[in-house]
Amino acid sequence: MDVVGEIVLPSDVVLEPVAALPPTVRERIQCEQGDFALTRPRSRTPSLIVDARTAGLLEHLRKPSTIVDAVIRYSREQQLDPRGTLESAFPAVRRLLDAGLLLAADSLVARPIETTYARGDTVGSLAIVESVYVIIDTEVYLAKARDRSLAALKIARPGGEGKLRAVLAHEAAMLKRLDGTVNPRFLEQGEVDGRPYLAVSWCPGTDAYEAAAEARRRGPDGQANLLKLGMGIAEAYAHLHSQGLLHGDVHPRNIVVDENNAVRLIDFGLAMPIIWEGTPAEIRRGGVDLFMEPELARAHLAGVPPPPASPEGEQYAVAAVLYLLLSGEHTHNFVLEESQMLGQVACEPPRAFHDRGVREFPHVERTLLRALDKEPAGRFSTLHEFSRHLAEASGADQEVLGSARAPGPHRLRESPRLLSEVLARLALSGPLIGTQLEAPTSSLSHGAAGVAYALLRIACGRGDEKLLALADVWSSKALRGVASSGKDAYWSAALEITKETTGLRSFHHTASGVHCVDALIARARGDELSHRRALRAFIAASGPPWTHLDVCFGRAGNLLGCALLLEARTPASLPEEAGLRSLGDELVSEIWRELDASAPIGELSPLRSLGAAHGWAGILYAALRWSECAGVPTPLNLGERLEELAALATPVGRGLRWPLTVGEHSGSGLQASWCNGAAGFVHLWTLAHRLFGEQHYARMAAGAAWAAFESPQANGDLCCGLAGRAYGLLNLYKHSGERVWLDRARDLAECAAVVSRASSQPREGLYQGSVGVALLAADLDHPEQSCMPLFESEGWSAR
C-alpha cells in the first residue's frame, strides 16, 4: 500500500488496554504494561498488540490523514520530537498496513463492516429473509428460493469482489462433485451489480462446539450423546473423503448439528480433490491454526510453501476437533504468539485427558492420540479406518458409562438460595410487608398481587398453611391499594407504565388481576364467601370498555383470568360461574370480531406484534385455553390463524424463532423471551398439539424450545428473561415427557438466579423482578406441577 497518501483507521476498529483483558487472555500473549490490543470485529485479521505511543498516534488516524500529518499532530499534543516519533512508530504502522487494519482512505473496505441487503430484497432468484453474519469481504444471508425452500446466500461485500469471485466459483465447483448427504446442495451462483454470489441449501442446527458443550453438562446421558456426536462427525468426514474430496477448513463452526444430532459440513471454499491435478501455485491453505496438522505448521515455521491438503492432515484436524468437543479444551495449552503456537503443534504431544479432568473416555482417547500422531505415517491409513476404530472405542467406553451408577438429581445451588432469600424478605418478620412498595404497588406484574400469587403457588406446592396465610396478607395489601384508587397502585412514570399505555382493563397491570389472585387464595383457603366476592369483583373489573386485544394490556389477558378461575371453581357450582362463562364467551366474541377484520398475520395490519404478551401468539393461546376450560368450540378460523403464524418461523440454531413484529427480523434477545419470543410460542404450540393432534405443532413447539434454550443470556425475569424461557422448556417437558428439557430448564433457572442475586437494583416483582425467579425455583421441586404464572393451566381439579 502507498504509505504517502491518506490512510485511515476504520471507525469499527477497537483499541483496548491490554490491562482490561481477562487474565486468562493476558497470560497467553506477549505484551508489556501499558500496551493496547487492536481488533477489528468481523475482519479476518487477528488482534495485534501495540504500545501506548502507537495507540495514541492511531487515534489521530480515525479520520483520513497522511502518516506525516498524524505524527505532527500527535507530537505537538504530546510535546514530542516529530522525527523521532515517526522513526519509532513507522515499523508498527507498516505492520498495521500489511495486516489491513490501516487502510487507504478511499478504500471500500475501510467502511464499517455492515450488511447491505434488507429483508425482502432479492439476489438472483432468492428473496432475503435476514442477515446471518457479515465479515470484511463476505455477507451471508438466510434466503428463500422460488420453491419456498431455505437457502444460505453468500455474496461478496463491496471491495471484496475480486477475491471472492474465484473463491465462490471454486466452492460451487466442489459442491457440484458431492451427493448432498453431509454437505449443503448447490443451488445457484451469479453476480449482482458486479458482486459474485453463491446460494446453497440451508443446513439448520448449531455449531459442533455448542452442541458438545451442552452434552458435557448432562452427566452420563450427555456423555453417551457426546460419543455419538463424535462418531457422527468422523463418519461425515469419512463420507466426504469417499467422494474424493477434502474439506480443507476443519473447525467446529464448520460442523452443524441439528436437533436430531445429524451432522452437516459447511463452507467448502478451501475444499480440494484428494488427487490434486493443479500446480503448487494454485494450492490454497487456510483454516484455524488450532486444528492444523504438524506438517503444515512445520512448513509455516520454515517459511516454505505449504503442502497441499491431504487425507492424513485432515484426519489430524478432525481428531483435534473431537479432542476439543470431548474434553472442552484444545489439544495443547496454546499460546497466542504465532511462532510459539506453531511450535506446539509441530513438536509438543497433546495433553492427556486426565489433565483436562476427563476420565470417562479412555478407549476413545487412545484412538484420538493415534490420529494426532506428529507424523502422517503414524496415523490411521484413512478416515474410514479412523472412523471405524473410533466407533469401536466409543462402544467400549459406552459400556463403562452404562454400567456406572445412575446419575443423581440435577443439583441446583443458586435457585434454592434465591428462593430462601426472597421468602425471608416477604415474611411477616421481613423488611417489606410493612413498607410502601415502589409503584406500581398492587399489580400482578410488579406489585403485591404478584407477590401474593407466588406465595400461594409455593404454599400449595409445599402444603404449607403458614405460607398460604402469608399469601392472604399480601393479597390484602394489594387490595388496599386498589381500594385507595391511587395511581401508584397500577402505574409508574419511572417505569413508563401509564394509564395511556395499559388501559383500564389490563389483567397484568390493573384491578382484574388483583381480584383474580384474591379469588384463587380464597379458593385455596376454602373461604367460599370471600371466593364468591372476589369472583364478582373480577368480573366487574374485567368487563367493558376494552381498549386492547393482547394478554398483558387487553381482552386476551382477562380471558386467561376467566379460564384460570373457571378451572379453580369449587365442586359445587357457584352462581358466579355463569357470570364467568358469560364474560369469557363475550371476550372471545369481541376478540374474534376484531381479528376477523384483520389481514392475514404475515401482512401489515394494526396488530403487528406476534408474541405472547402483546401479540398474536398470546391472543390465539387465550382463545385455545378458554375453549379447553369452558368446553366450547374454538373460533371457526383459529386453525387458519395458527398456520399463518407458523409460516413466519425462521430457523435459528437447532430451533425456530418468530419476528417481534410482522416484517421485523432484528435478532433481538427478546426473540427468545416469553413476552415477545420463542418461549411464549412453546405454550401455544403444545396446547395446539394437545387439542388438534397435528404433528407439525409438536415440531413447532420443540423448535421454539430450542430457540429459547440456545439464545444468549438475558436478565432473570419471567417476562423478558431467563425465568420465562425456563418455563417454556418446562412446558415442553410436561408435554413430551423428555427429561432433557427439564434439565435444560434447570440450567436456565440457575442462570436466572445468578443474574437476579447479582442485581444491584433488585425489585420484588412477579413478572419483573426476583419473585418470579424464586417461584420458578420452588416449581423445580415438583416440575410436573409447574406452570407459567397466570398463563398455563394450574391443575386446580387435581388439588
Side-chain angles (χ1 to χ4, degrees), residues 641-666:
R641 293 301 196 180
L642 288 173
E643 296 303 324
E644 291 169 3
L645 194 57
L648 298 180
T650 57
V652 55
R654 285 176 279 189
L656 298 169
R657 70 180 177 195
W658 282 258
L660 300 182
T661 61
V662 172
E664 177 187 349
H665 283 261
S666 66

Side-chain angles (χ1 to χ4, degrees), residues 695-717:
Q695 194 57 36
H696 71 287
Y697 292 151
R699 291 193 294 271
M700 289 280 168
W706 273 115
F709 175 66
E710 290 187 325
S711 294
Q713 296 293 307
N715 65 41
D717 294 348

Side-chain angles (χ1 to χ4, degrees), residues 625-649:
R625 284 276 292 126
W626 180 248
S627 175
E628 181 182 45
C629 295
V632 297
T634 58
L636 287 178
N637 63 343
L638 188 144
E640 295 175 18
R641 293 301 196 180
L642 288 173
E643 296 303 324
E644 291 169 3
L645 194 57
L648 298 180

Side-chain angles (χ1 to χ4, degrees), residues 308-319:
S310 68
E312 297 82 9
E314 190 140 292
Q315 180 186 146
Y316 181 98
V318 172

Side-chain angles (χ1 to χ4, degrees), residues 1-30:
M1 179 184 295
D2 179 12
V3 298
V4 177
E6 288 192 336
I7 59 175
V8 69
L9 183 71
S11 60
D12 53 356
V13 170
V14 178
L15 263 174
E16 183 177 21
V18 169
L21 299 175
T24 53
V25 175
R26 290 202 304 271
E27 66 188 20
R28 296 169 60 195
I29 59 178
Q30 291 184 332

Side-chain angles (χ1 to χ4, degrees), residues 430-449:
L432 296 175
I433 191 69
T435 62
Q436 177 72 13
L437 299 179
E438 295 179 39
T441 62
S442 294
S443 71
L444 270 183
S445 183
H446 291 76

